[in-house]
Amino acid sequence: MLEVSISFATPPADETRFPAAPQSEQKTVLHVGCGRASPHKLHSFFRGGQWREVRVDIDRQVLPDIVADISDLSAFRDGCVDAIWSSHSLEHIHDHQVPVALREFRRILKDDGLILVTMPDLESVAQLIVDGKAEDVAYQSPAGPITALDMVFGHRRSIENGNPFMAHKTGFTQHRLRRLLTEAGFARSMILRGRSLDLWAVGLMPGASRLLLTAPFR
């Protein structure tokens, strides 16, 4: 069963240095923490001819379009992208960087833009640990079997094989994620608890339709 939490806030005014693209042009989704290129890594909401993916990652070896830390998107002007897709990337930056990253997301989004993010649900993962299942395989991923310890600390096999970018440095609950989105200035947000020990969230800019809160999940 999906658990849903919806939040509304009044965001501060946003500056715009970069002129918005004409409405007839293809929309841009910034895929932050993209990893190696794969069409399956892009959420289905952003697949199709309407969207153009721009890939951002701190790891040069995954050959992103832009090499950048997601807490420093200074390569992008204000209001220059239509959407941001973040799949299991926010937990890979330090805790103090998370509010900075979310403010950066908001800064570069157009006034009618949205973010779609997903990450491990610490409450659900903690329950596995309490139940004595810290090292049991919780699910299979493209990187291999995932345990509760992997979800808390990062994929241990990848880290062992020399990829420090796979380490987790913070974590999220429904309540915390909702608060962080509000504090970052997103006008509306919806938080979902998924079926795979994960959280999903949509954050909307002031000019975005409220229908976008649920659109990625249809």
Side-chain angles (χ1 to χ4, degrees), residues 29-35 41-42 46 53-59 62 64-66 68-73 76 81 83-93 101-102 104-105 108-109 115-118:
V29 54
L30 196 66
H31 186 175
V32 296
C34 59
K41 290 184 177 180
L42 192 62
F46 301 116
E53 178 189 18
V54 176
R55 298 170 54 251
V56 175
D57 203 290
I58 196 172
D59 186 358
V62 304
D65 299 309
I66 304 283
D69 187 315
I70 64 172
S71 65
D72 180 9
L73 297 175
F76 298 88
V81 300
I84 293 173
W85 163 231
S86 170
S87 176
H88 293 269
S89 61
L90 284 171
E91 66 269 26
H92 291 273
I93 61 177
L102 290 174
E104 279 286 82
F105 291 176
I108 67 174
L109 279 169
I115 63 167
L116 175 61
V117 300
T118 185

Side-chain angles (χ1 to χ4, degrees), residues 72-194:
D72 180 9
L73 297 175
S74 54
F76 298 88
R77 296 180 182 271
D78 294 7
C80 66
V81 300
D82 300 280
I84 293 173
W85 163 231
S86 170
S87 176
H88 293 269
S89 61
L90 284 171
E91 66 269 26
H92 291 273
I93 61 177
H94 288 290
D95 190 73
H96 68 275
Q97 294 177 299
V98 173
V100 180
L102 290 174
R103 289 195 297 268
E104 279 286 82
F105 291 176
R106 187 186 185 281
R107 178 185 66 80
I108 67 174
L109 279 169
K110 295 179 182 178
D111 186 64
D112 60 351
L114 73 135
I115 63 167
L116 175 61
V117 300
T118 185
M119 69 278 290
D121 175 10
L122 272 189
E123 289 180 294
S124 298
V125 176
Q127 188 60 56
L128 285 182
I129 296 172
V130 169
D131 293 341
K133 300 178 181 179
E135 295 186 281
D136 291 2
V137 175
Y139 65 89
Q140 294 286 339
S141 80
I146 301 297
T147 69
L149 289 181
D150 292 315
M151 287 181 270
V152 173
F153 299 109
H155 191 239
R156 292 173 295 162
R157 181 61 60 85
S158 295
I159 298 168
E160 179 185 359
N161 290 337
N163 187 352
F165 296 118
M166 292 300 290
H168 290 183
K169 300 171 183 175
T170 189
F172 301 88
T173 64
Q174 279 186 300
H175 175 78
R176 181 169 193 251
L177 183 55
R178 184 188 316 115
R179 175 180 60 79
L180 287 167
L181 289 171
T182 300
E183 291 175 353
F186 286 95
R188 305 178 186 92
S189 64
M190 182 173 70
I191 317 295
L192 301 175
R193 175 171 281 165

Side-chain angles (χ1 to χ4, degrees), residues 185-213:
F186 286 95
R188 305 178 186 92
S189 64
M190 182 173 70
I191 317 295
L192 301 175
R193 175 171 281 165
R195 298 183 178 90
S196 300
L197 305 167
D198 50 2
L199 292 175
W200 291 77
V202 176
L204 300 185
M205 291 291 283
S209 167
R210 293 188 183 188
L211 296 176
L212 288 174
L213 283 174

